[in-house]
Amino acid sequence: MLETLDWLYATTPLQGKRILLLVSGSIAVYKSLDLVRAFMKMGAQVRVVMSAGACQFVQPLSFEALSQASVLTPSSERWNLQEGLCANHISYATWADLVVVAPASVNTLAKLACGLADNVLCSTFLASCAPKILAPSMNTQMWLAPPTQENLKRLKALGCEIVEPRVDLLACNTTGKGAMAQVLEIVCAGVRALERTPFWQDKEAVVTGGGSVENIDAVRCISNHSSGLQASALALVLYFKGARVRLISSVFPLALPASIESIALKSAQEYLKALQARQNLQNPPFLFMLAAISDYKPAQTHAGKLKKHALGARWSLECVQNVDILCALQGYYKVAFKAEENLDQGLHNAQKLLESVQEGGKGCAVVCLNTLEQSPFGALENQMYFLSARACRHSARTDKLRLSFEILDFVQEVLSGA
């Protein structure tokens, strides 16, 4: 599996952003060192505020060495404003584009929910108007306690995003929910907080990926070389943009945030059934049809394994045409993805997909075309032609994550009438 964080480091989606990390007292403080490193590798500037409790677990010097900036603690706050960005709760709060509280202890959550400002961490939190993300870390029973849940509800109502903890072995030597979320979950929530746009916010989007798998017998199948990488990248960028995303695929090459609903399936009929369950004529969701559905499937599927000695020296496999999923679906804004060997013929065939079903097309709003000469299957990079009824654009060859941003920009322009 491709490491999602490594890909994000290479594409630096947080280039130039200023992230303020507030660290409260929890055994998970050491994981926040990895958060600083991850945010900086993604292009961000990072400054850190530590509570007195956090300083008991990790020395401020560790955060200063990684962030290359002064850490604000109860004993280091200064008010010599001629220093420029002086380490105090006002200057750090107003500097930030994003505030991340990680780990957020149960005590800190309670104080923030009630608006208390009795320490440097809480004062900084209250003084900032930037978007806020909290990653709690605590014992399972403390997490489940009604006052904690009420505090979380209050913080959500105030506009904070909660990145829920994981089930894992905790410091109290019990296994349960309470371990701070993985670095990937927190940094992706950070990118989403800074990248979300009004157009995509809360839009429902379904992405299909991978290649369909049509069984011949218990061990053999008809499939193709689709890696599912572009679909996973597009699902991730839709999440960053603020959409509610479902990824329906036969393969999942990227680790994705838990907020992206992932549905694993194989055959074309399974894809069709899953998509039909989500189509909506009154309020159509977006469908990004990246899945490579086999044009043909075996006329008959055999139980068990067919034996070579029984099949003989030659084996003729009878196939029948598979279901045309794009044609069968109506309750979506359809964005088709097409791979062709020849560009001229490919552009002609792609334009046909934009026509209505009644005219022999597929009723797509946008078609994204790539050619086999670009070797798109399994590659980290690709380039595409984007087509609509009124426009055609050619992307540069780039990594599939950046390409996903270009795809969504084009779709937005088409549907906004720009």
Side-chain angles (χ1 to χ4, degrees):
M1 178 179 286
L2 180 68
E3 289 293 334
T4 309
L5 280 176
D6 288 340
W7 215 10
L8 291 173
Y9 298 157
T11 54
T12 59
L14 293 175
Q15 187 66 45
K17 299 298 183 180
R18 298 177 295 191
I19 297 178
L20 186 62
L21 179 62
L22 310 185
V23 185
S24 65
S26 165
I27 189 64
V29 169
Y30 74 95
K31 296 180 181 178
S32 297
L33 295 169
D34 290 333
L35 266 179
V36 173
R37 184 179 288 108
F39 281 133
M40 293 187 71
K41 283 185 176 181
M42 292 165 66
Q45 300 175 56
V46 180
R47 291 185 179 267
V48 179
V49 180
M50 298 179 69
S51 70
C55 293
Q56 292 182 316
F57 289 99
V58 174
Q59 290 295 312
L61 182 60
S62 298
F63 283 100
E64 288 189 344
L66 290 176
S67 67
Q68 302 171 23
S70 298
V71 172
L72 176 57
T73 69
S75 61
S76 70
E77 192 164 29
R78 303 193 308 277
W79 291 93
N80 183 359
L81 302 184
Q82 294 180 347
E83 291 183 7
L85 187 59
C86 185
N88 61 67
H89 66 274
I90 299 298
S91 62
Y92 273 29
T94 54
W95 170 85
D97 295 319
L98 174 69
V99 174
V100 178
V101 187
S105 67
V106 66
N107 188 52
T108 294
L109 286 175
K111 289 184 176 185
L112 298 180
C114 294
L116 297 183
D118 63 345
N119 63 35
V120 69
L121 186 153
C122 294
S123 297
T124 307
F125 183 92
L126 286 173
S128 178
C129 297
K132 297 179 175 70
I133 295 171
L134 297 93
S137 172
M138 63 195 71
N139 167 269
T140 303
Q141 295 308 315
M142 297 172 79
W143 167 258
L144 295 174
T148 303
Q149 293 302 310
E150 285 299 317
N151 289 333
L152 291 167
K153 289 179 183 177
R154 180 171 176 80
L155 287 164
K156 289 178 183 177
L158 292 170
C160 299
E161 180 175 352
I162 310 298
V163 183
E164 293 205 359
R166 298 173 291 113
V167 174
D168 205 345
L169 179 65
L170 306 177
C172 53
N173 204 31
T174 62
T175 298
K177 189 169 184 177
M180 191 172 82
Q182 298 283 15
V183 169
L184 176 65
E185 290 284 342
I186 299 171
V187 298
C188 283
V191 177
R192 178 182 169 95
L194 295 169
E195 286 286 347
R196 58 165 52 103
T197 61
F199 179 87
W200 292 106
Q201 180 69 39
D202 291 327
K203 293 283 198 311
E204 185 176 355
V206 180
V207 181
T208 68
S212 67
V213 179
E214 308 295 344
N215 288 335
I216 298 170
D217 61 12
V219 298
R220 301 178 181 89
C221 66
I222 296 175
S223 191
N224 55 68
H225 296 301
S226 178
S227 67
L229 186 56
Q230 184 69 74
S232 289
L234 187 61
L236 183 60
V237 174
L238 279 162
Y239 166 80
F240 289 159
K241 291 286 190 178
R244 293 180 287 114
V245 188
R246 289 186 178 93
L247 175 59
I248 300 173
S249 185
S250 60
V251 288
F252 296 88
L254 285 181
L256 296 171
S259 296
I260 297 176
E261 181 183 353
S262 297
I263 302 170
L265 36 66
K266 297 291 185 182
S267 71
Q269 282 295 335
E270 290 173 337
Y271 277 94
L272 178 61
K273 184 177 179 181
L275 291 170
Q276 286 176 329
R278 290 162 178 81
Q279 61 185 350
N280 187 332
L281 289 170
Q282 283 70 43
N283 186 24
F286 288 89
L287 171 60
F288 295 86
M289 191 68 188
L290 288 91
I293 303 299
S294 298
D295 292 322
Y296 289 85
K297 65 178 181 178
Q300 181 181 0
T301 299
H302 299 270
K305 179 183 178 182
L306 294 170
K307 300 297 183 180
K308 181 173 64 175
H309 65 81
L311 294 172
R314 291 179 178 273
W315 177 24
S316 295
L317 179 65
E318 183 183 2
C319 294
V320 296
Q321 279 194 354
N322 218 340
V323 60
D324 189 331
I325 293 180
L326 270 178
C327 199
L329 297 171
Q330 298 303 318
Y332 287 101
Y333 289 114
K334 293 186 281 191
V335 179
F337 288 74
K338 192 169 185 58
E340 289 278 356
E341 187 172 8
N342 176 276
L343 178 58
D344 291 336
Q345 188 64 35
L347 288 171
H348 173 76
N349 293 338
Q351 288 167 342
K352 286 290 293 180
L353 299 181
L354 298 169
E355 298 178 4
S356 68
V357 174
Q358 292 75 19
E359 295 172 328
K362 304 293 177 69
C364 297
V366 170
V367 179
C368 301
L369 170 70
N370 59 70
T371 58
L372 298 184
E373 62 194 20
Q374 300 297 330
S375 301
F377 296 118
L380 298 180
E381 296 183 340
N382 196 13
Q383 64 184 115
M384 291 183 177
Y385 285 85
F386 310 140
L387 295 90
S388 72
R390 296 183 179 181
C392 179
R393 183 180 302 166
H394 185 207
S395 77
R397 185 170 182 83
T398 186
D399 68 83
K400 290 181 177 179
L401 198 65
R402 289 189 178 97
L403 187 58
S404 296
F405 281 101
E406 290 191 45
I407 292 168
L408 296 189
D409 288 345
F410 185 80
V411 172
Q412 180 176 339
E413 289 174 19
V414 169
L415 296 181
S416 299

